[in-house]
Amino acid sequence: MRFQIFDDFLSLVFPKTCCLCQRSLFDFEDQLCKICISKLPITNYHLRPNNNDLVVKMMGLTRPHLVMAFLRFTKRGDSQKIMHQLKYRNRPAIGVELGRIYGNLLKQTGFQENWDQITPVPLHPLKKRRRGYNQSEQFALGLSEAMNIPVRLSLKRIQFTETQTRKSRMERIENVSNVFVLEENQILEDQRVLLVDDVMTTGATLSTCANVLLDAGPKLVDMVVIAAGKS
Ligand SMILES: [Zn+2]
């Protein structure tokens, strides 16, 4: 209660603004205004989750089942602006809100019964401490809230990788090949896992994580990212 009053006071002095258009938000809005939400570059991957370019990209790297992206990633587009705010501007709640919006869409499409757990791609603990949160985990929390499926942190990142952006596709795949392991005491047999990440470009990180999970014998590993674009 005390925190609520403090929050209300803060928002009176510093109104919350939409992370895309910077307009002040109404109290029923979270991180994005309703207008910006209606203009999000939403993909239709959920309509063809097992037969699309993301599935094709994953073939040869892992055993893809369903692969979907919420937003279309375009340079200098709204999705890039949102990802920038989420990753570098200390706005973890954006990830939760995007997860909630996408989770509701997936629920309406009947996906709620498809998975037993949602597992985010982990950050290295040092990087998570520096940023204060893992953006993929925030997205997972929103998906979890909307679809009522638990989040399980089944993966651990054991190596700190340098930035991937200047590397070729093959270099990226090699660069992440020994980076992830299963967390201790994870039982994945017969589980249907939804693996989630923020952005998918080459698919190197996502497929490496999927392979670590698949080695533990789950029924399936599906993949969902906030945004996907051309590599
Ligand atoms: Zn807006």
Side-chain angles (χ1 to χ4, degrees):
M1 189 59 193
R2 260 175 59 201
F3 290 116
Q4 183 60 47
I5 292 167
F6 187 61
D7 271 0
D8 290 348
F9 171 73
L10 274 186
S11 58
L12 205 64
V13 185
F14 306 106
K16 276 199 305 182
T17 55
C18 171
C19 72
L20 276 178
C21 68
Q22 312 305 329
R23 270 190 285 248
S24 297
L25 290 171
F26 293 122
D27 55 358
F28 58 81
E29 293 169 328
D30 187 353
Q31 301 293 315
L32 287 154
C33 73
K34 292 288 174 220
I35 296 164
C36 286
I37 289 178
S38 72
K39 291 195 295 196
L40 284 174
I42 291 177
T43 70
N44 278 329
Y45 282 114
H46 60 288
L47 304 177
R48 265 176 40 204
N50 57 359
N51 174 18
N52 60 55
D53 60 310
L54 302 181
V55 174
V56 172
K57 191 181 262 187
M58 285 295 174
M59 284 176 182
L61 297 174
T62 183
R63 229 167 57 218
H65 181 239
L66 310 182
V67 192
M68 297 177 257
F70 177 31
L71 305 177
R72 186 164 297 105
F73 188 84
T74 45
K75 280 235 156 76
R76 284 176 283 281
D78 280 353
S79 53
Q80 190 185 26
K81 276 191 224 161
I82 291 180
M83 296 313 296
H84 184 82
Q85 296 271 331
L86 172 61
K87 284 175 79 168
Y88 306 113
R89 291 278 174 250
N90 194 27
R91 292 189 71 161
I94 294 171
V96 181
E97 180 164 25
L98 293 175
R100 218 181 282 131
I101 298 170
Y102 199 36
N104 280 319
L105 180 64
L106 294 176
K107 193 168 146 181
Q108 284 161 21
T109 324
F111 282 100
Q112 197 178 5
E113 305 304 323
N114 280 44
W115 306 295
D116 305 304
Q117 73 173 67
I118 303 174
T119 295
V121 168
L123 286 182
H124 190 277
L126 282 176
K127 199 165 188 176
K128 186 172 173 181
R129 207 173 310 148
R130 201 187 295 162
R131 187 171 291 160
Y133 56 91
N134 169 1
Q135 66 281 0
S136 303
E137 195 178 320
Q138 298 300 308
F139 183 56
L141 289 171
L143 288 169
S144 165
E145 193 185 312
M147 294 193 287
N148 199 22
I149 301 168
V151 173
R152 294 221 174 90
L153 307 180
S154 299
L155 292 165
K156 184 157 72 174
R157 194 172 194 128
I158 51 169
Q159 274 181 43
F160 201 103
T161 45
E162 36 183 325
T163 179
Q164 298 266 70
T165 40
R166 287 203 191 87
K167 289 190 162 36
S168 73
R169 186 162 190 254
M170 272 325 286
E171 282 172 335
R172 286 187 195 202
I173 291 164
E174 279 166 22
N175 199 36
V176 292
S177 57
N178 292 313
V179 172
F180 302 97
V181 293
L182 209 63
E183 271 286 2
E184 282 152 38
N185 305 322
Q186 294 297 310
I187 298 162
L188 292 177
E189 270 142 43
D190 292 330
Q191 285 289 99
R192 297 163 305 164
V193 183
L194 180 62
L195 173 65
V196 304
D197 202 4
D198 54 358
V199 179
M200 174 172 165
T201 46
T202 61
T205 302
L206 210 56
S207 58
T208 307
C209 286
N211 289 336
V212 173
L213 292 169
L214 284 166
D215 280 347
K219 206 173 267 175
L220 56 88
V221 175
D222 290 336
M223 292 168 256
V224 158
V225 293
I226 303 178
K230 294 209 163 59
S231 53

